[in-house]
């Protein structure tokens, strides 16, 4: 199931489902997107709320998502930022509302659990992409803001390897549906009703602030749960701010990835600019893709119609 593409003049809902956004960066990001795409924004009621490390209580944040889904004026939903808090509301989401009002849902990091739950409960394609406050307002790059074009065009994406990183890791070609997201969030889904399904899928992985030993542990959990064996290929994004505190007593990140993923001998690309990075190229989850490592091709079916 895909959401309808956007057009100029549409209204986009902005939600804060995890941590509170930086208000100055949010304002800057909104302005840049309005100018670039001639769209309007409706801000969630809790967009200025702070409740400890959360953008308001669980009830308020959940209501903001439901309100945006039910609002016929709102044609798409973009997250202001990530942080922490989305897993606390996932079990309370009314997935029938998502089925009844299929809309573009865009974000990453802590939003990973939202992507997986919605896709597996409803079949709706969602989008891993740069967020308004943290990426467009603060860490601006033309490629990041240009990623939103896919929401208006409804045509297949071609990852611009001539502009972005694309490091062959394991050669080969594979076709399949892309799933995944932030590694630590994927691991936290194991054993829940929203445990990620990687069977015959191309698995995308990235994270931020996790040293190699932590990534080692996360990948071991995915391996033990059969998730790595089930996947048919891998797209590895950045592991940002992951330098070990004691490098002389640590494996390198590439050694960890080689042990768990390279050893599977499945088509894999490493260090793509998707995730916690600048620039950040947005992609849909739940559509078919072609990954040809040797020809440096990553072509992804449109996530809208």
């Amino acid at each position: 199931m895909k959401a309808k593409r956007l057009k100029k003049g549409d209204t986009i809902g902005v939600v804060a489902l995890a941590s509170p956004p930086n208000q100055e960066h949010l304002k800057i990001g909104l302005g840049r997107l309005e100018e670039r795409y001639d769209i309007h924004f409706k801000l969630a009621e809790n967009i200025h709320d702070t409740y400890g490390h959360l953008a308001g209580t669980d009830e308020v944040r959940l209501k903001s998502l439901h309100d945006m889904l039910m609002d016929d004026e709102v044609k798409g939903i973009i997250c202001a930022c990530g942080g922490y808090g989305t897993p606390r509301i996932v079990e309370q989401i009314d997935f029938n509302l998502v089925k009844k009002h299929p809309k573009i849902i865009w974000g990453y990091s802590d939003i990973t659990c939202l992507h997986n739950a919605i896709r597996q409960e409803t079949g709706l394609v969602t989008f891993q992409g740069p967020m308004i406050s943290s990426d467009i307002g603060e860490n601006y790059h033309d490629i990041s803001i240009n990623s939103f074009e896919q929401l208006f065009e409804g045509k297949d994406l071609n990852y611009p390897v001539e502009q972005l990183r694309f490091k062959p890791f394991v050669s080969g070609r594979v076709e399949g549906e892309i799933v995944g997201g932030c590694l630590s969030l994927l691991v936290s889904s194991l054993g829940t009703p929203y445990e990620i399904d990687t069977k015959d899928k191309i698995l995308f992985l990235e994270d931020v602030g996790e040293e190699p030993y932590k990534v080692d542990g996360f990948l071991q959990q995915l391996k033990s749960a059969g998730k790595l064996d089930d996947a048919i290929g891998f797209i590895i994004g950045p592991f940002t701010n992951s330098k070990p505190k004691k490098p002389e007593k640590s494996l390198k990140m590439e050694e960890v990835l080689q042990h768990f993923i390279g050893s599977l001998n499945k088509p894999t690309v490493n260090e793509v600019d998707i995730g916690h990075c600048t620039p950040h190229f947005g992609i849909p989850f739940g559509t078919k893709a072609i990954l040809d490592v040797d020809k440096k091709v990553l072509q992804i079916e449109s996530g809208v119609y």
Side-chain angles (χ1 to χ4, degrees):
M1 183 168 60
K2 296 181 181 180
K4 188 175 181 180
R5 74 183 71 174
L6 300 177
K7 63 181 185 298
K8 289 184 177 181
D10 277 348
T11 296
I12 309 300
V14 179
V15 295
L17 303 179
S19 297
N22 179 292
Q23 298 299 320
E24 180 181 355
H25 295 156
L26 177 63
K27 183 178 179 180
I28 293 171
L30 291 171
R32 285 172 172 164
L33 285 168
E34 286 175 344
E35 181 180 8
R36 175 71 170 77
Y37 293 106
D38 189 22
I39 50 179
H40 309 289
F41 291 100
K42 178 175 286 190
L43 304 183
E45 293 181 4
N46 69 309
I47 204 71
H48 302 292
D49 289 359
T50 299
Y51 178 63
H53 54 271
L54 304 169
T57 64
D58 293 351
E59 292 76 18
V60 167
R61 288 179 291 112
L62 178 65
K63 181 177 182 299
S64 73
L65 177 61
H66 287 165
D67 287 347
M68 292 299 184
L69 287 168
M70 291 186 291
D71 190 333
D72 291 336
E73 182 185 16
V74 171
K75 305 304 180 184
I77 301 170
I78 299 176
C79 296
C81 66
Y84 174 77
T86 312
R88 293 175 55 144
I89 65 172
V90 166
E91 291 183 359
Q92 286 76 49
I93 292 174
D94 185 343
F95 293 105
N96 287 324
L97 281 181
V98 180
K99 294 177 183 177
K100 188 175 180 181
H101 306 279
K103 297 181 180 182
I104 291 163
I105 296 176
W106 178 288
Y108 75 108
S109 193
D110 196 65
I111 312 303
T112 292
C113 58
L114 185 69
H115 291 313
N116 287 323
I118 286 178
R119 184 182 62 260
Q120 293 181 185
E121 290 293 317
T122 72
L124 178 66
V125 171
T126 60
F127 295 83
Q128 150 109 16
M131 295 184 284
I132 301 174
S133 172
S134 50
D135 297 278
I136 304 303
E138 181 180 9
N139 299 311
Y140 177 80
H141 194 285
D142 285 344
I143 288 176
S144 300
I145 199 168
N146 289 345
S147 285
F148 290 90
E149 288 182 2
Q150 64 187 278
L151 303 180
F152 296 82
E153 296 178 341
K155 63 182 182 181
D156 290 355
L157 293 174
N158 287 289
Y159 181 82
V161 294
E162 70 280 0
Q163 296 174 282
L164 298 174
R165 296 181 301 170
F166 188 103
K167 182 179 179 180
F169 201 65
V170 179
S171 65
R173 184 183 186 277
V174 67
E175 296 186 32
E177 181 182 325
I178 293 183
V179 300
C182 188
L183 175 59
S184 53
L185 272 295
L186 296 177
V187 168
S188 71
S189 77
L190 299 179
T192 75
Y194 315 112
E195 179 173 304
I196 185 169
D197 176 12
T198 64
K199 184 68 174 178
D200 298 326
K201 307 290 197 303
I202 299 173
L203 179 58
F204 168 75
L205 300 171
E206 63 91 34
D207 216 317
V208 62
E210 304 290 359
E211 294 188 45
Y213 83 93
K214 291 291 292 293
V215 173
D216 189 296
F218 292 146
L219 290 175
Q220 180 62 58
Q221 284 184 270
L222 288 185
K223 178 183 178 181
S224 297
K227 303 302 179 181
L228 301 184
D229 285 338
D230 281 349
I232 57 175
F234 298 90
I235 300 170
I236 310 298
F239 284 89
T240 305
N241 299 332
S242 62
K243 291 183 179 180
K245 296 177 181 177
K246 297 181 179 180
E248 72 281 0
K249 296 183 178 181
S250 173
L251 291 174
K252 296 178 180 178
M253 189 66 73
E254 188 155 328
E255 291 175 316
V256 173
L257 295 175
Q258 175 60 38
H259 176 79
F260 288 101
I261 295 177
S263 62
L264 296 174
N265 201 31
K266 298 178 181 182
T268 303
V269 62
N270 192 16
E271 296 183 9
V272 298
D273 286 315
I274 305 172
H276 289 85
C277 54
T278 302
H280 176 175
F281 187 80
I283 61 170
F285 283 149
T287 61
K288 296 295 178 65
I290 298 172
L291 172 62
D292 191 319
V293 179
D294 304 302
K295 293 183 179 179
K296 291 191 174 182
V297 169
L298 176 55
Q299 182 177 335
I300 308 172
E301 177 189 350
S302 172
V304 293
Y305 70 90

